[in-house]
């Protein structure tokens, strides 16, 4: 082979490498990393060093023009995966196969050269959102039809939830709104987050994925008549933002699920809910720069009734 041919082959190889995407599954926290250390072939013994080397590899691939998709490596799911496919979990090729499967079926983000320290929280948040949506969808699928009228309970609850969210955002008006929906369901609580920004009376900008997940979680609470509610933290639009000597302030409002609808909380109820530690039940100091306000009344959609 001539030198010219070898150069052409190397150039073609580099060009082709850029056409082939990469996947990586990362052990995001110390606990998961420790779980993998029981495997003899796992070559790392320090989580911080592991993350630095992972980031170095991702940056190298990006510099080569390779698109890399990042997912989470779940040791428990990996063990189940290996058992189902009769794979030896203590082999590098088994970890490689699982990483590809995690990228295909689980939550992912695209690596674009940013530090892992800023990307991993987004990946964990996406994984949590995906898990909540999957759990809520499974619970809704089991609700069946109304025994009295035959209505599809999941479909009716989703329509009711969508109406509630649309009305809630319209009531909040202009500004940036951070909504958290929490439902006490079978297993861990269902949580969904929705970010919305509205300006000059226009409808708020929403992402389809976040809206779908939020409405699905709320619909689950409505269909199951489960305890739960929504908290909204709003920052008014810059042109209308009220300022004080202490600077800008946010407003927190809340609603609870009652009789398959969102009922507004009083100012005192919002304050108590927001200033109580969810794990211990102990009071926590009010956050600086935050006002607590009653939830806004929301009207159920016309022509609907509760189904049992």
């Amino acid at each position: 082979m001539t030198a010219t041919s070898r150069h052409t082959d190397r150039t073609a190889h580099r060009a082709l490498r850029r056409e082939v995407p990469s996947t990586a599954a990362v052990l995001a926290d110390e606990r998961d990393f420790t779980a993998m250390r029981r495997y003899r072939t796992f070559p790392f013994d320090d989580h911080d060093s592991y993350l630095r080397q992972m980031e170095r590899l991702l940056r190298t691939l990006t510099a080569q023009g390779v698109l890399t998709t990042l997912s989470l490596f779940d040791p428990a799911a990996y063990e189940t995966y290996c058992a189902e496919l009769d794979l030896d979990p203590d082999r590098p090729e088994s970890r490689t196969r699982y990483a590809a499967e995690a990228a295909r079926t689980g939550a992912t983000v695209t690596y674009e050269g940013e530090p892992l320290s800023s990307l991993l929280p987004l990946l964990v948040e996406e994984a949590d959102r995906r898990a909540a949506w999957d759990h809520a969808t499974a619970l809704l699928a089991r609700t069946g039809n109304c025994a009295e009228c035959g209505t599809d309970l999941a479909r009716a609850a989703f329509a009711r939830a969508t109406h509630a969210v649309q009305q809630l955002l319209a009531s909040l008006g202009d500004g940036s709104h951070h909504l958290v929906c929490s439902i006490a369901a079978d297993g861990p609580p269902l949580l969904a987050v929705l970010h919305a920004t509205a300006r000059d009376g226009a409808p708020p900008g929403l992402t389809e994925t976040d809206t779908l997940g939020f409405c699905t979680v709320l619909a689950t609470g409505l269909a199951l008549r489960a305890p739960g509610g929504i908290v909204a933290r709003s920052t008014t639009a810059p042109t209308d933002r009220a300022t004080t000597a202490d600077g800008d302030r946010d407003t927190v409002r809340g609603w609870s699920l009652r009789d398959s609808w969102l009922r507004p909380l009083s100012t005192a109820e919002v304050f108590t809910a927001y200033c109580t530690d969810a794990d211990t039940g102990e009071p926590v100091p009010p956050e600086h720069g935050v006002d607590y306000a009653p939830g806004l009344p929301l009207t159920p959609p016309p022509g609907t009734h509760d189904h049992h």
Side-chain angles (χ1 to χ4, degrees):
M1 179 181 291
T2 65
T4 300
S5 298
R6 286 194 295 272
H7 175 73
T8 301
D9 285 347
R10 285 195 298 269
T11 301
H13 176 81
R14 285 194 296 268
L16 185 60
R17 181 66 187 95
R18 289 194 292 270
E19 300 284 340
V20 180
S22 246
T23 60
V26 62
L27 294 156
D29 61 47
E30 187 79 41
R31 183 181 61 182
D32 287 345
F33 178 83
T34 301
M36 290 302 294
R37 290 194 61 198
R38 69 178 181 268
Y39 298 119
R40 179 184 55 82
T41 59
F42 186 69
F44 304 99
D45 55 16
D46 178 78
H47 189 228
D48 289 338
S49 174
Y50 160 82
L51 290 177
R52 285 194 299 272
Q53 293 184 56
M54 175 66 77
E55 184 171 312
R56 190 177 302 122
L57 172 61
L58 293 171
R59 288 183 182 276
T60 298
L61 291 171
T62 301
Q64 295 171 352
V66 177
L67 177 68
T68 303
T69 300
L70 197 62
S71 63
L72 290 176
F73 197 109
D74 183 335
Y78 171 65
E79 188 173 5
T80 301
Y81 174 80
C82 290
E84 290 176 347
L85 296 184
D86 195 25
L87 300 174
D88 181 358
D90 200 3
R91 294 185 65 86
E93 53 265 37
S94 298
R95 294 194 288 272
T96 300
R97 288 185 60 172
Y98 172 76
E101 181 69 9
R104 186 181 70 85
T105 61
T108 61
V109 295
T110 300
Y111 183 77
E112 297 179 338
E114 59 269 75
L116 274 183
S117 58
S118 62
L119 191 62
L120 287 181
L122 299 178
L123 182 56
V124 171
E125 181 180 316
E126 173 63 15
D128 290 343
R129 183 199 64 78
R130 184 83 166 261
W133 187 85
D134 288 344
H135 187 195
T137 300
L139 291 173
L140 274 178
R142 297 204 296 263
T143 57
N145 297 328
C146 177
E148 298 177 1
C149 64
T151 298
D152 184 322
L153 295 177
R155 187 182 298 274
F158 190 85
R160 199 173 177 87
T162 301
H163 179 86
V165 171
Q166 290 173 340
Q167 190 180 159
L168 192 158
L169 290 173
S171 299
L172 290 174
D174 283 1
S176 296
H177 310 294
H178 177 82
L179 279 63
V180 178
C181 180
S182 175
I183 304 295
D186 293 339
L190 293 172
L191 290 173
V193 176
L194 185 64
H195 303 279
T197 300
R199 295 283 184 265
D200 301 323
L206 299 169
T207 66
E208 182 177 355
T209 299
D210 287 347
T211 305
L212 177 61
F214 193 90
C215 288
T216 301
V217 168
L218 177 57
T220 302
L222 296 175
L224 301 180
R225 293 175 168 267
I230 291 177
V231 171
R233 179 168 178 156
S234 302
T235 303
T236 54
T239 54
D240 303 320
R241 184 178 295 167
T243 58
T244 69
D246 295 329
D248 304 328
R249 303 185 69 85
D250 289 350
T251 301
V252 174
R253 303 179 186 272
W255 296 258
S256 64
L257 285 184
R258 196 180 313 149
D259 299 327
S260 295
W261 190 244
L262 290 171
R263 308 297 176 185
L265 298 177
S266 67
T267 301
E269 289 173 323
V270 172
F271 181 88
T272 299
Y274 210 76
C275 298
T276 301
D277 188 290
D279 295 325
T280 66
E282 295 294 321
V284 296
E287 188 176 347
H288 178 73
V290 173
D291 294 322
Y292 302 92
L296 303 168
L298 304 174
T299 305
T304 64
H305 60 278
D306 293 341
H307 300 277
H308 302 276

